Amino acid sequence: MADQFILTTLEGPVAILTLNRPDVLNALNIPLMDQLIETMERLDNDPAVRVMVLTGNDRAFAAGADIKEMAEASIVDMYERNNLARWERIKRVRKPIIAAVSGFCLGGGCELAMHCDMIVAAEGAQFGQPEINIGVIPGAGGTQRLGKAVGKYRAMELILTGRFFSAHEAYDAGLVTKVVPNELYRDEAINIAKQIGEKSPMAVRFAKEAVLKAFEMPLSEGLDFERKMFYMLFGTDDQKEGMAAFIEKRKAKYTGK
Ligand code: CAA
């Protein structure tokens, strides 16, 4: 049987995906990433799941792409494998994904966390884009997404020096949603996921899509997109239920229709 690099459990509407290569600090080799992407796509199409939490273990979320897997590769090998292009499929997952980060969150690990919609970090977590220290640069979105999260001047320093930075620095810079005591990172991510799981699934998907558009579109087009998504929700039962429940002073029961 193939190694199981992704462990999946369900807590109500929340699917918890755990990266499972602990001996190598969850280094992201190609089989792990293939399993992760396939699992996310399967869960994205599973109506029982409304939110995903992606986590590692206490010592490492992930210490980056697997250096040993690529150390001897030629440019032709890298170009033909083109495995980093497959990460784009994570971007197309429509349900929210929350990264629950403890320990090392480096290189491709930091980039994987940045593919998620929120990052909940243990206070002892260490972030970094240290690729420059091994003669390369971030290759899974770090040069683009880190700058969008923390601004050009901080991203430039972090990427050019490759230094590690703390969860608190990541939070202050805008990379992290929330910093919690070390023992709570998983619980807090699941707690946020459960809150989202109680909302209208269509509204949640549209909200995620609209927020992400802000990073891809000029403002006027993003505003136009948002307005159309808002109007479209008036075609759902959940909008009728949500507004009726407000008026009738009761809790809404959303069906996803
Ligand atoms: N790839 C492959 N193996 C890795 C790894 C990685 N990214 N990170 C850690 N490991 C392995 C180590 O080789 C070691 O394995 P062995 O026991 O077989 O020697 C094991 O995990 C434990 O690691 P250490 O002994 O190094 O643990 P440490 O506590 O002394 O140091 C660390 C921890 C500072 C995170 C250190 O492991 C480290 O610097 N790792 C590499 C970080 C890095 O450079 N990441 C970027 C990778 S390139 C990338 O991600 C490209 C991209 O953008 C897509």
Side-chain angles (χ1 to χ4, degrees), residues 21-25 27-28 59 63-70 84 87 104 106-109 111 129-131 133-134 136-142 164:
R21 288 188 82 203
D23 295 346
V24 288
L25 306 182
L28 305 168
R59 190 168 172 223
D66 191 320
I67 298 169
K68 290 167 194 162
E69 184 179 60
M70 61 190 164
L84 293 175
W87 292 38
F104 296 112
L106 304 173
E111 291 167 301
Q129 294 290 164
E131 291 89 344
N133 297 327
I134 54 171
V136 289
I137 66 171
F164 297 176

Side-chain angles (χ1 to χ4, degrees), residues 20-222:
N20 185 37
R21 288 188 82 203
D23 295 346
V24 288
L25 306 182
N26 289 333
L28 305 168
N29 65 359
I30 293 174
L32 179 151
M33 286 307 300
D34 284 347
Q35 285 182 26
L36 176 63
I37 291 164
E38 281 158 23
T39 305
M40 285 182 163
E41 287 179 341
R42 178 172 55 75
L43 296 170
D44 203 28
N45 290 317
D46 180 344
V49 172
R50 295 194 174 180
V51 188
M52 296 177 217
V53 168
L54 176 63
T55 194
N57 55 58
D58 292 353
R59 190 168 172 223
F61 177 75
D66 191 320
I67 298 169
K68 290 167 194 162
E69 184 179 60
M70 61 190 164
E72 299 297 326
S74 67
I75 178 173
V76 175
D77 296 332
M78 293 303 283
Y79 201 81
E80 286 186 347
R81 285 180 201 165
N82 200 18
N83 62 297
L84 293 175
R86 289 204 286 284
W87 292 38
E88 283 282 310
R89 285 159 58 191
I90 300 174
K91 197 178 125 185
R92 291 198 285 275
V93 170
R94 292 169 301 168
K95 292 176 185 169
I97 310 171
I98 304 175
V101 172
S102 175
F104 296 112
C105 184
L106 304 173
C110 189
E111 291 167 301
L112 180 57
M114 287 192 284
H115 275 72
C116 299
D117 302 303
M118 290 175 222
I119 302 177
V120 174
E123 59 191 349
Q126 291 191 73
F127 294 81
Q129 294 290 164
E131 291 89 344
I132 201 86
N133 297 327
I134 54 171
V136 289
I137 66 171
T143 63
Q144 308 302 299
R145 289 198 176 95
L146 188 63
K148 288 207 193 304
V150 308
K152 169 185 161 184
Y153 300 98
R154 293 195 204 201
M156 198 65 91
E157 186 257 337
L158 293 169
I159 289 170
L160 295 186
T161 67
R163 74 171 170 87
F164 297 176
F165 53 103
S166 70
H168 285 295
E169 183 175 349
Y171 177 80
D172 290 342
L175 177 63
V176 157
T177 310
K178 197 165 184 178
V179 182
V180 295
N182 284 337
E183 63 280 12
L184 293 182
Y185 71 99
R186 231 170 155 268
D187 290 350
E188 182 54 22
I190 294 169
N191 175 35
I192 295 172
K194 284 186 174 163
Q195 288 177 46
I196 299 167
E198 290 178 2
K199 317 290 181 199
S200 158
M202 286 299 282
V204 167
R205 286 181 180 198
F206 281 18
K208 167 170 170 165
E209 208 178 328
V211 172
L212 289 177
K213 285 289 184 219
F215 299 94
E216 310 257 350
M217 280 180 166
L219 179 62
S220 58
E221 284 177 40

